[in-house]
Amino acid sequence: MPFERTFDTLFAAYGPQDWWPGETPFEVMVGAVLTQNTAWSNVEKAIANLKANDSLSPEAIVAAPREQLAAWLRPSGYFNIKAERLGNYCRWYLAQGGYQSLSALPTEPLRAAVLSVKGVGPETADDILLYAFDRPVFVIDAYTRRIFQRVGLIAGDEPYETLRGLFEQRLAHRSERVALFGEYHALIVNHAKDYCRKRPRCGGCCLQASCSVPEAGERSGRCSLVSE
DNA sequence: AACCAGGAGACAT
DNA sequence: ATGTCTCATGGT
């Protein structure tokens, strides 16, 4: 059960992550779009701008002029593209009748619907499904590919859907899958932030026996999550 | 001062 | 199906 053992290793090292950062489902959705290829610290500033202008709602975002929205989103980078994508998402979201209405859909149809929004790809969609709609989908990001490639469990270049299916099936027997998947993805990202990013190019994979997650305060260990 | 961050779409091959 | 380019701010 390598997939479960990896989770146990990370959980033992870091404990519960209590993700996603965001006070409401809608804030989670906004964060999911804004964090595309972007550091979360930058996303926080953009969300703070929306809040400061009482515009963290689909209605306000749809009503805002593109220029205004782009200005608010500026700290999160790609602000013109993200203003467009966030606008697309909010118009779709309102047209579908909002959270309650969407919640009535089964997981796969809901996922297909979210994916139909231009600017929402598989990872963003799964962030939204998992953390805003509490659906048991496994999020595959660049870190996940890198870690499990180095552990030797995947090739690393499989299509997104292939990996999502693999992870979900290897963990299909577990209960509380929404909580498990949510913690798992959070732990992987946290591992990259709090450990790997501080030790770039250390030469191996942190999750192998020869490169285990160190005890708190320990400085040794090897990791190449941030690599080449 | 390069490097890269919790990707996705357009386009060519 | 599979590569390459673009988009952009901010921290290390």
Side-chain angles (χ1 to χ4, degrees):
Chain A
M1 311 299 192
F3 289 87
E4 296 181 85
R5 188 189 62 74
T6 299
F7 174 82
D8 293 339
T9 301
L10 289 171
F11 190 82
Y14 300 119
Q17 299 301 299
D18 193 32
W19 256 29
W20 179 289
E23 300 174 1
T24 67
F26 183 72
E27 183 172 342
V28 171
M29 299 173 197
V30 171
V33 172
L34 296 186
T35 199
Q36 290 171 359
N37 201 39
T38 299
W40 182 255
S41 56
N42 290 350
V43 176
E44 288 182 313
K45 295 170 185 172
I47 291 179
N49 285 341
L50 293 174
K51 286 183 176 176
N53 293 88
D54 294 310
S55 295
L56 187 58
S57 70
E59 294 85 359
I61 289 171
V62 165
R66 217 104 315 63
E67 268 226 345
Q68 177 65 277
L69 183 56
W72 290 334
L73 301 186
R74 189 162 63 82
S76 71
Y78 306 118
F79 50 83
N80 288 314
I81 289 177
K82 285 176 178 175
E84 182 68 29
R85 291 178 179 178
L86 190 55
N88 289 344
Y89 185 83
C90 290
R91 280 189 295 279
W92 166 84
Y93 187 71
L94 291 173
Q96 298 304 310
Y99 192 85
Q100 297 298 329
S101 176
L102 288 165
S103 292
L105 295 174
T107 296
E108 288 305 327
L110 175 60
R111 186 172 189 273
V114 172
L115 267 177
S116 74
V117 178
K118 185 189 293 183
V120 175
E123 184 179 341
T124 304
D126 288 339
D127 283 335
I128 291 171
L129 269 280
L130 178 59
Y131 294 109
F133 286 103
D134 299 311
R135 304 306 176 90
V137 297
F138 200 98
V139 178
I140 305 295
D141 67 344
Y143 293 140
T144 307
R145 288 179 185 272
R146 238 173 280 169
I147 288 180
F148 287 89
Q149 176 183 15
R150 300 202 189 276
V151 173
L153 294 174
I154 65 174
D157 58 351
E158 295 93 337
Y160 186 98
E161 288 303 315
T162 301
L163 289 179
R164 182 172 77 93
L166 174 65
F167 277 80
E168 290 178 2
Q169 287 181 14
R170 300 317 291 254
L171 299 169
H173 62 286
R174 306 266 315 211
S175 58
E176 305 297 329
R177 302 197 320 172
V178 172
L180 175 65
F181 294 176
E183 276 301 327
Y184 210 151
H185 178 59
L187 284 165
I188 288 169
V189 174
N190 182 259
H191 183 54
K193 278 186 182 173
D194 289 351
Y195 178 67
C196 295
R197 196 171 294 170
K198 297 174 182 173
R199 299 170 180 76
R201 301 178 182 75
C202 48
C205 177
C206 308
L207 299 174
Q208 288 181 330
S210 61
C211 183
S212 59
V213 176
E215 301 302 316
E218 188 191 350
R219 309 189 63 77
S220 62
R222 307 191 306 153
C223 175
S224 59
L225 259 184
V226 178
S227 61
E228 286 99 291

